[in-house]
Amino acid sequence: MIKNLSIIYPIFNEEKRLFNIFQDIKKFNKKTHHISKEYIFVDDGSFDNSKKRIKDFIKLNKNSKIQYKIISYKVNKGKGYALKSGVLNSTKKWILTTDSDCSVSNFQILRWMKKNYINEENMIYFASRNHPISQVKKIKSREIIGAIFRFAISLMFNVKISDTQCGFKLYKANIAKKIFSKIKTNGYMHDLEICIISKKMNYVINELPVIWKHKFEGKISFFKDSIKIISSLVMIKFYRY
C-alpha cells in the first residue's frame, strides 16, 4: 500500500496545458486523503508563463498535508535532466514520474492499487500502452513509429520492455534515486537508460495496463527529431554504468 508519494512533472513551456495538470491534481487530492503527497514541478528553462502559473496554483491550493515544490533553472536541459532533478530532490517513499500533457491521470495509481498490482517493493512499474488490457487512444502514425522504435531498441540493446517511452512510471524512492543518479542522457531517451540501468542493478520492471489519451501540442516529433534520437541511441550504446 502506498501511503506517501512524490509526483514529478517536467515542465517546459507548458502554459497552455497546465490547466489539465491542475485539475487532475485537485481531483486526485480529494480522493486520496490517506496518501501524504508531494508535487514537484521542474521548470526546465521555460520562457513562457509556466512558472508564474504554477506559483499561482500553489498559492491558491496550500494545504498543510500536501507539499508543493518548484525546481527552476534558466536554460532548457531536457526531460531526462528535469526528472533527475525532481527525483533526487524528492522526499517521499514512493516516486511517480509523469508527463506534463496529462495523457495519464494520477488516478491510474489508484487503479493499480485496487488491482493489487503494486506488491513487490523491489520492482519498478511502467505504464504500458502496449499492455493487452490498456485503453489507448492514439494516432496511427505514432503506432507505426512506436513499432519501429521498439524493434530498434530490442536489436541494439536487448531491451524487451514493450513500452519504454510512456512517462508514467512508479518507483520505490531508494530505487529511483539509485537509477537516476546514474542517468547520463538529458533528453527523451533517458527512459531507455532506466531500462538498461535497472537490468544491470537487477531491478525488475513490471509493465502495467494504463488508460492513455494522445494529447496534441507535444514537444517531440519522431520525424523532426529523428537525428537527435538516433545520436542518443548511439551514445547510450557506448555508455558504461
Side-chain angles (χ1 to χ4, degrees):
M1 177 66 70
I2 296 174
K3 294 184 179 180
N4 59 70
L5 177 67
S6 295
I7 302 177
I8 301 170
Y9 295 95
I11 304 293
F12 177 59
N13 292 343
E14 296 293 350
E15 180 182 1
K16 295 180 180 179
R17 300 197 293 188
L18 282 171
F19 176 79
N20 294 329
I21 293 176
F22 297 156
Q23 290 298 105
D24 193 58
I25 288 173
K26 289 192 286 187
K27 291 176 183 177
F28 187 67
N29 286 343
K30 288 180 180 179
K31 297 290 185 180
T32 55
H33 296 292
H34 60 292
I35 300 176
S36 173
K37 293 174 291 292
E38 170 186 67
Y39 294 96
I40 302 177
F41 299 91
V42 185
D43 177 25
D44 185 25
S46 298
F47 48 82
D48 64 357
N49 288 318
S50 292
K51 187 176 180 180
K52 182 182 183 301
R53 290 203 61 195
I54 294 167
K55 284 185 173 181
D56 290 343
F57 170 77
I58 292 173
K59 286 179 182 178
L60 292 172
N61 293 272
K62 282 187 177 180
N63 188 315
S64 59
K65 295 182 180 179
I66 301 171
Q67 297 171 276
Y68 295 96
K69 294 180 182 178
I70 300 178
I71 298 171
S72 182
Y73 38 88
K74 292 183 179 180
V75 179
N76 176 247
K77 301 285 189 179
K79 184 181 177 183
Y81 185 94
L83 289 178
K84 182 175 182 176
S85 298
V87 167
L88 297 183
N89 283 280
S90 63
T91 62
K92 302 299 184 181
K93 292 182 180 179
W94 287 87
I95 295 174
L96 172 68
T97 63
T98 188
D99 285 330
S100 54
D101 63 2
C102 217
S103 53
V104 182
S105 167
N106 290 333
F107 281 90
Q108 187 64 62
I109 288 286
L110 301 185
R111 298 185 190 105
W112 287 351
M113 290 169 63
K114 187 176 180 180
K115 294 288 186 178
N116 292 320
Y117 288 145
I118 304 169
N119 54 20
E120 292 289 342
E121 293 187 355
N122 64 331
M123 283 188 176
I124 299 165
Y125 301 92
F126 279 19
S128 174
R129 292 162 292 188
N130 297 312
H131 193 284
I133 63 172
S134 287
Q135 299 176 40
V136 177
K137 293 182 180 179
K138 60 182 175 180
I139 56 178
K140 193 68 178 177
S141 60
R142 289 184 68 96
E143 292 185 33
I144 296 170
I145 293 166
I148 295 170
F149 181 77
R150 289 195 301 276
F151 175 76
I153 64 170
S154 176
L155 194 65
M156 291 179 67
F157 301 96
N158 195 30
V159 170
K160 303 303 182 184
I161 304 301
S162 71
D163 188 0
T164 60
Q165 300 308 114
C166 184
F168 199 86
K169 296 177 171 69
L170 179 69
Y171 314 77
K172 199 73 184 297
N174 63 320
I175 293 176
K177 289 176 187 290
K178 287 177 183 177
I179 292 171
F180 275 85
S181 66
K182 294 180 178 294
I183 285 176
K184 301 176 183 179
T185 302
N186 287 341
Y188 286 93
M189 291 300 104
H190 76 280
D191 293 293
L192 177 57
E193 277 198 278
I194 292 171
C195 298
I196 295 169
I197 295 168
S198 299
K199 187 175 181 180
K200 287 182 177 293
M201 299 182 76
N202 295 316
Y203 294 129
V204 177
I205 295 174
N206 192 3
E207 294 190 86
L208 298 179
V210 67
I211 298 174
W212 187 91
K213 294 181 181 179
H214 173 73
K215 303 289 184 176
F216 293 94
E217 300 180 352
K219 293 294 187 301
I220 187 169
S221 166
F222 281 96
F223 293 111
K224 183 179 177 181
D225 298 319
S226 58
I227 294 176
K228 289 182 181 179
I229 292 170
I230 292 169
S231 63
S232 293
L233 292 177
V234 172
M235 289 176 66
I236 292 170
K237 183 69 176 177
F238 292 99
Y239 284 155
R240 293 292 179 266
Y241 302 100

